[in-house]
Amino acid sequence: MESPSLPMTAKDWNTTSLHRVLAMQGGEDDLSYINNSDSQALAITLSKPILISSLQSFKLFSDQTSPIRIVDLGCATGSNTFTNVDTVVETLQRRYTAVYGSGGSPEFEAFYCDLPSNDFNMLFKLLTEKQKADSLAKYFASCVAGSFYDRLFPRRTIHVAVSLSALHWLSQIPEEVLEKGSRTWNKGKTWIEGAKKEVVEAYAEQSDKDLDDFLSCRKEEMVKEGVLFVLMGGRPSGTSSQFGDQDTRTKHPFTTTMEQAWQDLIDEGLIDEETRDGFNIPAYMRSPEEVAAGIDRCGGFKIEKMEFMKIVEHSDEKQEEWKKDPVSYGRARTNLVQAAIRPMVDAYLGPHLSHELFKRYENRVSTNREFLHITCFYGVVVLSAIRI
């Protein structure tokens, strides 16, 4: 992929640069998204009944000659995206057999979509291995590199569109957040939890615009009565905090401890405050009300079901294991946050300073034993809608 100059400056931290670096960590080592996406997999499992229920309304025809087209928008890499596409294919195959018998079945075509910075090589390496071993859910697969905030497909060609743990990532940092000295300047922070009201409002406005763009594009691309299924990071109804419980706010890698790690670099003279202030994480957790408002503004979709879910971060067994080995816990937590934002931090600070930042983060997590006794949740909003 094309790489921006390293390190980036605050003024470069915009849409043009983000699309080249906003990606989950590729490869298959300890830092990779493949090996650090268990909580996302749990969210997919818990929301699976909603997806299957929404597919019951999809119309199948006995003379279906064109393929049923499925897209995964923001696919990243690894088994999570395959699990969801398999669910769609298997559900529709079973329905077809139940209605029309076992004499035949429509063909399926799956498009895996993400930004050009995504590790598509790893995605298709794993897909090839999977399809050799699994003959049940066969479909033709291809990739499409581009932003899901833009049109990616011709009009009225997509039957099922899914997006998993991706739509909370914004297309850009709101420009006013980077305006030094302004009321919306996010000084002293790298994310919006606990930020000034004006900063949060700027993010919310960008979030609304992005959601409108996403829905408008899908409205054009999807066939009538097609199924839209979205699982995104979210927050409970009636809350202004990005998180719904105090433990998560205390422990989440984007908040207190990560801010402390950035401050460590400043205190040690490795970076200055202006460098820290120029970096902002392009993520926003929507409430169900904000999602519903976006559907209303766009039109063309009928909400079948929308639900907020709390997903536990780790199993009790894993928590007990980590209590005996805080260093292993700190390493695991650091791997999780690196899987999500390491490519962005590498691009902004350069690999050396990025490494130093995550070392400080790991040290702080490993030495804070209180974290080991906190059960941490994160929220997701699950939406199923029909194109009308």
PDB file of all heavy atoms in Angstrom, residues 191 193 241 243-260 313 329 333 361 364-365 368 370-372 374-377:
ATOM      1  N   TRP A 191      -8.653  11.227  22.417  1.00  0.00           N
ATOM      2  CA  TRP A 191      -9.973  10.701  22.081  1.00  0.00           C
ATOM      3  C   TRP A 191     -11.011  11.580  22.751  1.00  0.00           C
ATOM      4  O   TRP A 191     -10.664  12.605  23.364  1.00  0.00           O
ATOM      5  CB  TRP A 191     -10.114   9.224  22.495  1.00  0.00           C
ATOM      6  CG  TRP A 191     -11.234   8.519  21.773  1.00  0.00           C
ATOM      7  CD1 TRP A 191     -11.534   8.610  20.447  1.00  0.00           C
ATOM      8  CD2 TRP A 191     -12.193   7.646  22.351  1.00  0.00           C
ATOM      9  NE1 TRP A 191     -12.635   7.830  20.145  1.00  0.00           N
ATOM     10  CE2 TRP A 191     -13.054   7.218  21.304  1.00  0.00           C
ATOM     11  CE3 TRP A 191     -12.409   7.163  23.634  1.00  0.00           C
ATOM     12  CZ2 TRP A 191     -14.117   6.353  21.504  1.00  0.00           C
ATOM     13  CZ3 TRP A 191     -13.473   6.288  23.844  1.00  0.00           C
ATOM     14  CH2 TRP A 191     -14.315   5.880  22.784  1.00  0.00           C
ATOM     15  N   GLU A 193     -13.660  10.610  24.985  1.00  0.00           N
ATOM     16  CA  GLU A 193     -14.230  10.293  26.285  1.00  0.00           C
ATOM     17  C   GLU A 193     -13.688  11.272  27.327  1.00  0.00           C
ATOM     18  O   GLU A 193     -12.486  11.382  27.533  1.00  0.00           O
ATOM     19  CB  GLU A 193     -13.912   8.848  26.689  1.00  0.00           C
ATOM     20  CG  GLU A 193     -14.457   8.439  28.044  1.00  0.00           C
ATOM     21  CD  GLU A 193     -15.981   8.436  28.095  1.00  0.00           C
ATOM     22  OE1 GLU A 193     -16.632   8.470  27.024  1.00  0.00           O
ATOM     23  OE2 GLU A 193     -16.527   8.404  29.209  1.00  0.00           O
ATOM     24  N   SER A 241     -21.749   9.684  27.706  1.00  0.00           N
ATOM     25  CA  SER A 241     -20.449   9.021  27.712  1.00  0.00           C
ATOM     26  C   SER A 241     -20.378   8.000  26.581  1.00  0.00           C
ATOM     27  O   SER A 241     -21.381   7.397  26.198  1.00  0.00           O
ATOM     28  CB  SER A 241     -20.223   8.321  29.053  1.00  0.00           C
ATOM     29  OG  SER A 241     -19.114   7.448  28.990  1.00  0.00           O
ATOM     30  N   PHE A 243     -19.120   5.229  26.887  1.00  0.00           N
ATOM     31  CA  PHE A 243     -19.249   3.917  27.517  1.00  0.00           C
ATOM     32  C   PHE A 243     -20.391   3.936  28.514  1.00  0.00           C
ATOM     33  O   PHE A 243     -20.693   4.942  29.137  1.00  0.00           O
ATOM     34  CB  PHE A 243     -17.950   3.527  28.237  1.00  0.00           C
ATOM     35  CG  PHE A 243     -16.766   3.505  27.320  1.00  0.00           C
ATOM     36  CD1 PHE A 243     -15.788   4.487  27.405  1.00  0.00           C
ATOM     37  CD2 PHE A 243     -16.641   2.539  26.351  1.00  0.00           C
ATOM     38  CE1 PHE A 243     -14.708   4.485  26.555  1.00  0.00           C
ATOM     39  CE2 PHE A 243     -15.560   2.521  25.497  1.00  0.00           C
ATOM     40  CZ  PHE A 243     -14.595   3.504  25.595  1.00  0.00           C
ATOM     41  N   GLY A 244     -21.013   2.792  28.697  1.00  0.00           N
ATOM     42  CA  GLY A 244     -22.181   2.741  29.544  1.00  0.00           C
ATOM     43  C   GLY A 244     -21.916   2.386  30.989  1.00  0.00           C
ATOM     44  O   GLY A 244     -22.795   2.501  31.823  1.00  0.00           O
ATOM     45  N   ASP A 245     -20.692   1.914  31.324  1.00  0.00           N
ATOM     46  CA  ASP A 245     -20.430   1.573  32.710  1.00  0.00           C
ATOM     47  C   ASP A 245     -19.070   2.136  33.133  1.00  0.00           C
ATOM     48  O   ASP A 245     -18.151   2.273  32.331  1.00  0.00           O
ATOM     49  CB  ASP A 245     -20.477   0.054  32.924  1.00  0.00           C
ATOM     50  CG  ASP A 245     -19.357  -0.671  32.207  1.00  0.00           C
ATOM     51  OD1 ASP A 245     -19.453  -0.832  30.972  1.00  0.00           O
ATOM     52  OD2 ASP A 245     -18.386  -1.054  32.878  1.00  0.00           O
ATOM     53  N   GLN A 246     -18.973   2.445  34.423  1.00  0.00           N
ATOM     54  CA  GLN A 246     -17.795   3.131  34.939  1.00  0.00           C
ATOM     55  C   GLN A 246     -16.535   2.278  34.817  1.00  0.00           C
ATOM     56  O   GLN A 246     -15.452   2.789  34.549  1.00  0.00           O
ATOM     57  CB  GLN A 246     -18.006   3.519  36.409  1.00  0.00           C
ATOM     58  CG  GLN A 246     -16.846   4.299  37.021  1.00  0.00           C
ATOM     59  CD  GLN A 246     -16.548   5.582  36.254  1.00  0.00           C
ATOM     60  OE1 GLN A 246     -17.455   6.320  35.903  1.00  0.00           O
ATOM     61  NE2 GLN A 246     -15.278   5.835  35.968  1.00  0.00           N
ATOM     62  N   ASP A 247     -16.651   0.948  35.010  1.00  0.00           N
ATOM     63  CA  ASP A 247     -15.478   0.086  34.906  1.00  0.00           C
ATOM     64  C   ASP A 247     -14.847   0.187  33.523  1.00  0.00           C
ATOM     65  O   ASP A 247     -13.627   0.258  33.378  1.00  0.00           O
ATOM     66  CB  ASP A 247     -15.858  -1.376  35.187  1.00  0.00           C
ATOM     67  CG  ASP A 247     -16.093  -1.633  36.668  1.00  0.00           C
ATOM     68  OD1 ASP A 247     -15.774  -0.732  37.467  1.00  0.00           O
ATOM     69  OD2 ASP A 247     -16.592  -2.716  37.015  1.00  0.00           O
ATOM     70  N   THR A 248     -15.687   0.185  32.492  1.00  0.00           N
ATOM     71  CA  THR A 248     -15.162   0.276  31.138  1.00  0.00           C
ATOM     72  C   THR A 248     -14.509   1.623  30.897  1.00  0.00           C
ATOM     73  O   THR A 248     -13.447   1.704  30.273  1.00  0.00           O
ATOM     74  CB  THR A 248     -16.286   0.025  30.117  1.00  0.00           C
ATOM     75  OG1 THR A 248     -16.839  -1.268  30.353  1.00  0.00           O
ATOM     76  CG2 THR A 248     -15.750   0.068  28.693  1.00  0.00           C
ATOM     77  N   ARG A 249     -15.123   2.691  31.406  1.00  0.00           N
ATOM     78  CA  ARG A 249     -14.510   4.009  31.239  1.00  0.00           C
ATOM     79  C   ARG A 249     -13.140   4.062  31.908  1.00  0.00           C
ATOM     80  O   ARG A 249     -12.217   4.697  31.404  1.00  0.00           O
ATOM     81  CB  ARG A 249     -15.426   5.084  31.821  1.00  0.00           C
ATOM     82  CG  ARG A 249     -16.655   5.371  30.993  1.00  0.00           C
ATOM     83  CD  ARG A 249     -17.321   6.661  31.406  1.00  0.00           C
ATOM     84  NE  ARG A 249     -17.957   6.550  32.721  1.00  0.00           N
ATOM     85  CZ  ARG A 249     -19.191   6.096  32.914  1.00  0.00           C
ATOM     86  NH1 ARG A 249     -19.909   5.676  31.879  1.00  0.00           N
ATOM     87  NH2 ARG A 249     -19.713   6.046  34.112  1.00  0.00           N
ATOM     88  N   THR A 250     -13.016   3.392  33.049  1.00  0.00           N
ATOM     89  CA  THR A 250     -11.748   3.388  33.774  1.00  0.00           C
ATOM     90  C   THR A 250     -10.677   2.605  33.027  1.00  0.00           C
ATOM     91  O   THR A 250      -9.503   2.978  33.005  1.00  0.00           O
ATOM     92  CB  THR A 250     -11.956   2.769  35.174  1.00  0.00           C
ATOM     93  OG1 THR A 250     -12.918   3.538  35.866  1.00  0.00           O
ATOM     94  CG2 THR A 250     -10.660   2.750  35.958  1.00  0.00           C
ATOM     95  N   LYS A 251     -11.081   1.535  32.386  1.00  0.00           N
ATOM     96  CA  LYS A 251     -10.135   0.536  31.907  1.00  0.00           C
ATOM     97  C   LYS A 251      -9.926   0.539  30.398  1.00  0.00           C
ATOM     98  O   LYS A 251      -8.955  -0.026  29.896  1.00  0.00           O
ATOM     99  CB  LYS A 251     -10.685  -0.835  32.348  1.00  0.00           C
ATOM    100  CG  LYS A 251      -9.780  -2.018  32.172  1.00  0.00           C
ATOM    101  CD  LYS A 251     -10.511  -3.232  32.726  1.00  0.00           C
ATOM    102  CE  LYS A 251      -9.792  -4.518  32.411  1.00  0.00           C
ATOM    103  NZ  LYS A 251     -10.600  -5.692  32.788  1.00  0.00           N
ATOM    104  N   HIS A 252     -10.820   1.165  29.670  1.00  0.00           N
ATOM    105  CA  HIS A 252     -10.750   1.055  28.214  1.00  0.00           C
ATOM    106  C   HIS A 252      -9.423   1.604  27.686  1.00  0.00           C
ATOM    107  O   HIS A 252      -8.954   2.646  28.135  1.00  0.00           O
ATOM    108  CB  HIS A 252     -11.916   1.804  27.564  1.00  0.00           C
ATOM    109  CG  HIS A 252     -12.115   1.450  26.132  1.00  0.00           C
ATOM    110  ND1 HIS A 252     -11.361   1.992  25.128  1.00  0.00           N
ATOM    111  CD2 HIS A 252     -12.963   0.578  25.544  1.00  0.00           C
ATOM    112  CE1 HIS A 252     -11.750   1.474  23.971  1.00  0.00           C
ATOM    113  NE2 HIS A 252     -12.722   0.620  24.201  1.00  0.00           N
ATOM    114  N   PRO A 253      -8.803   0.916  26.708  1.00  0.00           N
ATOM    115  CA  PRO A 253      -7.473   1.328  26.228  1.00  0.00           C
ATOM    116  C   PRO A 253      -7.440   2.680  25.543  1.00  0.00           C
ATOM    117  O   PRO A 253      -6.362   3.259  25.385  1.00  0.00           O
ATOM    118  CB  PRO A 253      -7.093   0.220  25.235  1.00  0.00           C
ATOM    119  CG  PRO A 253      -8.380  -0.430  24.861  1.00  0.00           C
ATOM    120  CD  PRO A 253      -9.230  -0.345  26.077  1.00  0.00           C
ATOM    121  N   PHE A 254      -8.588   3.205  25.135  1.00  0.00           N
ATOM    122  CA  PHE A 254      -8.593   4.511  24.482  1.00  0.00           C
ATOM    123  C   PHE A 254      -8.667   5.657  25.489  1.00  0.00           C
ATOM    124  O   PHE A 254      -8.637   6.820  25.106  1.00  0.00           O
ATOM    125  CB  PHE A 254      -9.792   4.636  23.538  1.00  0.00           C
ATOM    126  CG  PHE A 254      -9.674   3.813  22.285  1.00  0.00           C
ATOM    127  CD1 PHE A 254     -10.723   3.761  21.394  1.00  0.00           C
ATOM    128  CD2 PHE A 254      -8.533   3.089  22.004  1.00  0.00           C
ATOM    129  CE1 PHE A 254     -10.649   2.999  20.229  1.00  0.00           C
ATOM    130  CE2 PHE A 254      -8.441   2.319  20.861  1.00  0.00           C
ATOM    131  CZ  PHE A 254      -9.494   2.277  19.971  1.00  0.00           C
ATOM    132  N   THR A 255      -8.821   5.330  26.776  1.00  0.00           N
ATOM    133  CA  THR A 255      -9.075   6.402  27.739  1.00  0.00           C
ATOM    134  C   THR A 255      -7.897   6.597  28.680  1.00  0.00           C
ATOM    135  O   THR A 255      -6.781   6.845  28.247  1.00  0.00           O
ATOM    136  CB  THR A 255     -10.388   6.134  28.495  1.00  0.00           C
ATOM    137  OG1 THR A 255     -10.324   4.841  29.121  1.00  0.00           O
ATOM    138  CG2 THR A 255     -11.577   6.161  27.566  1.00  0.00           C
ATOM    139  N   THR A 256      -8.113   6.474  29.973  1.00  0.00           N
ATOM    140  CA  THR A 256      -7.159   6.951  30.979  1.00  0.00           C
ATOM    141  C   THR A 256      -5.746   6.433  30.764  1.00  0.00           C
ATOM    142  O   THR A 256      -4.780   7.216  30.707  1.00  0.00           O
ATOM    143  CB  THR A 256      -7.654   6.554  32.384  1.00  0.00           C
ATOM    144  OG1 THR A 256      -8.989   7.017  32.553  1.00  0.00           O
ATOM    145  CG2 THR A 256      -6.744   7.154  33.440  1.00  0.00           C
ATOM    146  N   THR A 257      -5.580   5.132  30.658  1.00  0.00           N
ATOM    147  CA  THR A 257      -4.230   4.576  30.603  1.00  0.00           C
ATOM    148  C   THR A 257      -3.506   4.968  29.322  1.00  0.00           C
ATOM    149  O   THR A 257      -2.298   5.256  29.341  1.00  0.00           O
ATOM    150  CB  THR A 257      -4.273   3.042  30.738  1.00  0.00           C
ATOM    151  OG1 THR A 257      -5.044   2.695  31.902  1.00  0.00           O
ATOM    152  CG2 THR A 257      -2.878   2.471  30.890  1.00  0.00           C
ATOM    153  N   MET A 258      -4.207   5.008  28.211  1.00  0.00           N
ATOM    154  CA  MET A 258      -3.565   5.430  26.965  1.00  0.00           C
ATOM    155  C   MET A 258      -3.168   6.900  27.030  1.00  0.00           C
ATOM    156  O   MET A 258      -2.084   7.286  26.574  1.00  0.00           O
ATOM    157  CB  MET A 258      -4.486   5.167  25.778  1.00  0.00           C
ATOM    158  CG  MET A 258      -3.916   5.583  24.424  1.00  0.00           C
ATOM    159  SD  MET A 258      -2.288   4.850  24.048  1.00  0.00           S
ATOM    160  CE  MET A 258      -2.745   3.139  23.801  1.00  0.00           C
ATOM    161  N   GLU A 259      -4.012   7.728  27.615  1.00  0.00           N
ATOM    162  CA  GLU A 259      -3.652   9.138  27.779  1.00  0.00           C
ATOM    163  C   GLU A 259      -2.406   9.274  28.657  1.00  0.00           C
ATOM    164  O   GLU A 259      -1.526  10.106  28.396  1.00  0.00           O
ATOM    165  CB  GLU A 259      -4.821   9.916  28.401  1.00  0.00           C
ATOM    166  CG  GLU A 259      -6.118   9.891  27.618  1.00  0.00           C
ATOM    167  CD  GLU A 259      -6.078  10.684  26.329  1.00  0.00           C
ATOM    168  OE1 GLU A 259      -4.992  11.143  25.929  1.00  0.00           O
ATOM    169  OE2 GLU A 259      -7.145  10.837  25.700  1.00  0.00           O
ATOM    170  N   GLN A 260      -2.312   8.445  29.685  1.00  0.00           N
ATOM    171  CA  GLN A 260      -1.135   8.472  30.557  1.00  0.00           C
ATOM    172  C   GLN A 260       0.121   8.053  29.806  1.00  0.00           C
ATOM    173  O   GLN A 260       1.207   8.606  30.030  1.00  0.00           O
ATOM    174  CB  GLN A 260      -1.367   7.557  31.759  1.00  0.00           C
ATOM    175  CG  GLN A 260      -2.425   8.071  32.724  1.00  0.00           C
ATOM    176  CD  GLN A 260      -2.813   7.036  33.758  1.00  0.00           C
ATOM    177  OE1 GLN A 260      -2.548   5.840  33.603  1.00  0.00           O
ATOM    178  NE2 GLN A 260      -3.450   7.485  34.838  1.00  0.00           N
ATOM    179  N   GLU A 313     -15.799  -8.485  28.056  1.00  0.00           N
ATOM    180  CA  GLU A 313     -14.526  -8.407  27.349  1.00  0.00           C
ATOM    181  C   GLU A 313     -13.761  -9.725  27.363  1.00  0.00           C
ATOM    182  O   GLU A 313     -13.184 -10.132  26.360  1.00  0.00           O
ATOM    183  CB  GLU A 313     -13.672  -7.313  27.993  1.00  0.00           C
ATOM    184  CG  GLU A 313     -12.408  -6.973  27.242  1.00  0.00           C
ATOM    185  CD  GLU A 313     -11.650  -5.858  27.932  1.00  0.00           C
ATOM    186  OE1 GLU A 313     -11.288  -6.039  29.110  1.00  0.00           O
ATOM    187  OE2 GLU A 313     -11.437  -4.815  27.316  1.00  0.00           O
ATOM    188  N   TYR A 329      -1.128 -10.326  31.472  1.00  0.00           N
ATOM    189  CA  TYR A 329      -2.327  -9.519  31.274  1.00  0.00           C
ATOM    190  C   TYR A 329      -1.999  -8.212  30.558  1.00  0.00           C
ATOM    191  O   TYR A 329      -2.674  -7.826  29.598  1.00  0.00           O
ATOM    192  CB  TYR A 329      -2.980  -9.220  32.624  1.00  0.00           C
ATOM    193  CG  TYR A 329      -4.095  -8.203  32.539  1.00  0.00           C
ATOM    194  CD1 TYR A 329      -5.320  -8.544  31.994  1.00  0.00           C
ATOM    195  CD2 TYR A 329      -3.906  -6.900  32.995  1.00  0.00           C
ATOM    196  CE1 TYR A 329      -6.348  -7.614  31.906  1.00  0.00           C
ATOM    197  CE2 TYR A 329      -4.927  -5.963  32.908  1.00  0.00           C
ATOM    198  CZ  TYR A 329      -6.140  -6.326  32.368  1.00  0.00           C
ATOM    199  OH  TYR A 329      -7.142  -5.412  32.268  1.00  0.00           O
ATOM    200  N   ARG A 333      -3.529  -7.048  26.941  1.00  0.00           N
ATOM    201  CA  ARG A 333      -4.262  -5.807  26.745  1.00  0.00           C
ATOM    202  C   ARG A 333      -3.591  -4.921  25.708  1.00  0.00           C
ATOM    203  O   ARG A 333      -4.254  -4.276  24.886  1.00  0.00           O
ATOM    204  CB  ARG A 333      -4.352  -5.048  28.074  1.00  0.00           C
ATOM    205  CG  ARG A 333      -5.231  -5.674  29.112  1.00  0.00           C
ATOM    206  CD  ARG A 333      -6.691  -5.523  28.799  1.00  0.00           C
ATOM    207  NE  ARG A 333      -7.098  -4.129  28.704  1.00  0.00           N
ATOM    208  CZ  ARG A 333      -8.321  -3.728  28.424  1.00  0.00           C
ATOM    209  NH1 ARG A 333      -9.256  -4.622  28.187  1.00  0.00           N
ATOM    210  NH2 ARG A 333      -8.625  -2.442  28.353  1.00  0.00           N
ATOM    211  N   TYR A 361       2.328   2.002  27.712  1.00  0.00           N
ATOM    212  CA  TYR A 361       0.976   1.527  27.972  1.00  0.00           C
ATOM    213  C   TYR A 361       1.014   0.153  28.650  1.00  0.00           C
ATOM    214  O   TYR A 361       0.328  -0.077  29.662  1.00  0.00           O
ATOM    215  CB  TYR A 361       0.195   1.458  26.661  1.00  0.00           C
ATOM    216  CG  TYR A 361      -1.202   0.912  26.819  1.00  0.00           C
ATOM    217  CD1 TYR A 361      -2.242   1.731  27.243  1.00  0.00           C
ATOM    218  CD2 TYR A 361      -1.487  -0.426  26.585  1.00  0.00           C
ATOM    219  CE1 TYR A 361      -3.525   1.239  27.413  1.00  0.00           C
ATOM    220  CE2 TYR A 361      -2.756  -0.926  26.755  1.00  0.00           C
ATOM    221  CZ  TYR A 361      -3.778  -0.101  27.164  1.00  0.00           C
ATOM    222  OH  TYR A 361      -5.040  -0.597  27.352  1.00  0.00           O
ATOM    223  N   ARG A 364       2.055   0.358  32.310  1.00  0.00           N
ATOM    224  CA  ARG A 364       1.019   0.896  33.192  1.00  0.00           C
ATOM    225  C   ARG A 364      -0.091  -0.128  33.441  1.00  0.00           C
ATOM    226  O   ARG A 364      -0.589  -0.246  34.564  1.00  0.00           O
ATOM    227  CB  ARG A 364       0.441   2.182  32.604  1.00  0.00           C
ATOM    228  CG  ARG A 364       1.376   3.385  32.781  1.00  0.00           C
ATOM    229  CD  ARG A 364       0.716   4.670  32.341  1.00  0.00           C
ATOM    230  NE  ARG A 364       1.524   5.827  32.722  1.00  0.00           N
ATOM    231  CZ  ARG A 364       1.479   6.422  33.905  1.00  0.00           C
ATOM    232  NH1 ARG A 364       0.666   5.951  34.849  1.00  0.00           N
ATOM    233  NH2 ARG A 364       2.225   7.471  34.168  1.00  0.00           N
ATOM    234  N   VAL A 365      -0.475  -0.856  32.424  1.00  0.00           N
ATOM    235  CA  VAL A 365      -1.524  -1.865  32.612  1.00  0.00           C
ATOM    236  C   VAL A 365      -1.017  -3.018  33.482  1.00  0.00           C
ATOM    237  O   VAL A 365      -1.725  -3.508  34.374  1.00  0.00           O
ATOM    238  CB  VAL A 365      -2.014  -2.392  31.255  1.00  0.00           C
ATOM    239  CG1 VAL A 365      -3.012  -3.531  31.443  1.00  0.00           C
ATOM    240  CG2 VAL A 365      -2.666  -1.271  30.447  1.00  0.00           C
ATOM    241  N   ASN A 368      -0.975  -2.082  37.270  1.00  0.00           N
ATOM    242  CA  ASN A 368      -2.211  -1.651  37.907  1.00  0.00           C
ATOM    243  C   ASN A 368      -3.067  -2.881  38.201  1.00  0.00           C
ATOM    244  O   ASN A 368      -3.873  -3.321  37.382  1.00  0.00           O
ATOM    245  CB  ASN A 368      -2.982  -0.674  37.011  1.00  0.00           C
ATOM    246  CG  ASN A 368      -4.152  -0.025  37.722  1.00  0.00           C
ATOM    247  OD1 ASN A 368      -4.662  -0.555  38.703  1.00  0.00           O
ATOM    248  ND2 ASN A 368      -4.575   1.124  37.224  1.00  0.00           N
ATOM    249  N   GLU A 370      -5.530  -3.279  40.049  1.00  0.00           N
ATOM    250  CA  GLU A 370      -6.972  -3.059  40.150  1.00  0.00           C
ATOM    251  C   GLU A 370      -7.692  -3.503  38.890  1.00  0.00           C
ATOM    252  O   GLU A 370      -8.838  -3.960  38.941  1.00  0.00           O
ATOM    253  CB  GLU A 370      -7.256  -1.578  40.416  1.00  0.00           C
ATOM    254  CG  GLU A 370      -6.829  -1.091  41.787  1.00  0.00           C
ATOM    255  CD  GLU A 370      -7.178   0.362  41.998  1.00  0.00           C
ATOM    256  OE1 GLU A 370      -7.892   0.935  41.124  1.00  0.00           O
ATOM    257  OE2 GLU A 370      -6.760   0.947  43.012  1.00  0.00           O
ATOM    258  N   PHE A 371      -7.029  -3.370  37.733  1.00  0.00           N
ATOM    259  CA  PHE A 371      -7.648  -3.766  36.475  1.00  0.00           C
ATOM    260  C   PHE A 371      -8.034  -5.249  36.474  1.00  0.00           C
ATOM    261  O   PHE A 371      -9.008  -5.645  35.838  1.00  0.00           O
ATOM    262  CB  PHE A 371      -6.704  -3.493  35.306  1.00  0.00           C
ATOM    263  CG  PHE A 371      -6.616  -2.045  34.906  1.00  0.00           C
ATOM    264  CD1 PHE A 371      -5.677  -1.630  33.987  1.00  0.00           C
ATOM    265  CD2 PHE A 371      -7.469  -1.099  35.441  1.00  0.00           C
ATOM    266  CE1 PHE A 371      -5.587  -0.302  33.596  1.00  0.00           C
ATOM    267  CE2 PHE A 371      -7.395   0.233  35.077  1.00  0.00           C
ATOM    268  CZ  PHE A 371      -6.453   0.633  34.150  1.00  0.00           C
ATOM    269  N   LEU A 372      -7.238  -6.060  37.182  1.00  0.00           N
ATOM    270  CA  LEU A 372      -7.472  -7.498  37.171  1.00  0.00           C
ATOM    271  C   LEU A 372      -8.750  -7.883  37.912  1.00  0.00           C
ATOM    272  O   LEU A 372      -9.218  -9.015  37.788  1.00  0.00           O
ATOM    273  CB  LEU A 372      -6.275  -8.221  37.794  1.00  0.00           C
ATOM    274  CG  LEU A 372      -4.955  -8.085  37.020  1.00  0.00           C
ATOM    275  CD1 LEU A 372      -3.798  -8.612  37.851  1.00  0.00           C
ATOM    276  CD2 LEU A 372      -5.040  -8.835  35.701  1.00  0.00           C
ATOM    277  N   ILE A 374     -11.602  -5.941  37.740  1.00  0.00           N
ATOM    278  CA  ILE A 374     -12.708  -5.224  37.109  1.00  0.00           C
ATOM    279  C   ILE A 374     -13.248  -6.051  35.955  1.00  0.00           C
ATOM    280  O   ILE A 374     -12.499  -6.497  35.088  1.00  0.00           O
ATOM    281  CB  ILE A 374     -12.250  -3.848  36.580  1.00  0.00           C
ATOM    282  CG1 ILE A 374     -11.853  -2.926  37.743  1.00  0.00           C
ATOM    283  CG2 ILE A 374     -13.343  -3.204  35.746  1.00  0.00           C
ATOM    284  CD1 ILE A 374     -11.254  -1.614  37.279  1.00  0.00           C
ATOM    285  N   THR A 375     -14.555  -6.294  35.952  1.00  0.00           N
ATOM    286  CA  THR A 375     -15.194  -6.918  34.793  1.00  0.00           C
ATOM    287  C   THR A 375     -15.568  -5.814  33.814  1.00  0.00           C
ATOM    288  O   THR A 375     -16.341  -4.920  34.138  1.00  0.00           O
ATOM    289  CB  THR A 375     -16.444  -7.698  35.204  1.00  0.00           C
ATOM    290  OG1 THR A 375     -16.075  -8.730  36.127  1.00  0.00           O
ATOM    291  CG2 THR A 375     -17.109  -8.332  33.984  1.00  0.00           C
ATOM    292  N   CYS A 376     -15.002  -5.888  32.625  1.00  0.00           N
ATOM    293  CA  CYS A 376     -15.149  -4.801  31.658  1.00  0.00           C
ATOM    294  C   CYS A 376     -16.069  -5.234  30.520  1.00  0.00           C
ATOM    295  O   CYS A 376     -15.958  -6.350  30.005  1.00  0.00           O
ATOM    296  CB  CYS A 376     -13.769  -4.428  31.106  1.00  0.00           C
ATOM    297  SG  CYS A 376     -13.724  -2.880  30.213  1.00  0.00           S
ATOM    298  N   PHE A 377     -16.995  -4.349  30.159  1.00  0.00           N
ATOM    299  CA  PHE A 377     -17.906  -4.593  29.051  1.00  0.00           C
ATOM    300  C   PHE A 377     -17.685  -3.532  27.976  1.00  0.00           C
ATOM    301  O   PHE A 377     -17.156  -2.454  28.252  1.00  0.00           O
ATOM    302  CB  PHE A 377     -19.354  -4.515  29.519  1.00  0.00           C
ATOM    303  CG  PHE A 377     -19.730  -5.534  30.535  1.00  0.00           C
ATOM    304  CD1 PHE A 377     -19.506  -5.314  31.885  1.00  0.00           C
ATOM    305  CD2 PHE A 377     -20.329  -6.724  30.158  1.00  0.00           C
ATOM    306  CE1 PHE A 377     -19.864  -6.256  32.842  1.00  0.00           C
ATOM    307  CE2 PHE A 377     -20.698  -7.665  31.099  1.00  0.00           C
ATOM    308  CZ  PHE A 377     -20.455  -7.432  32.445  1.00  0.00           C
TER     309      PHE A 377
END
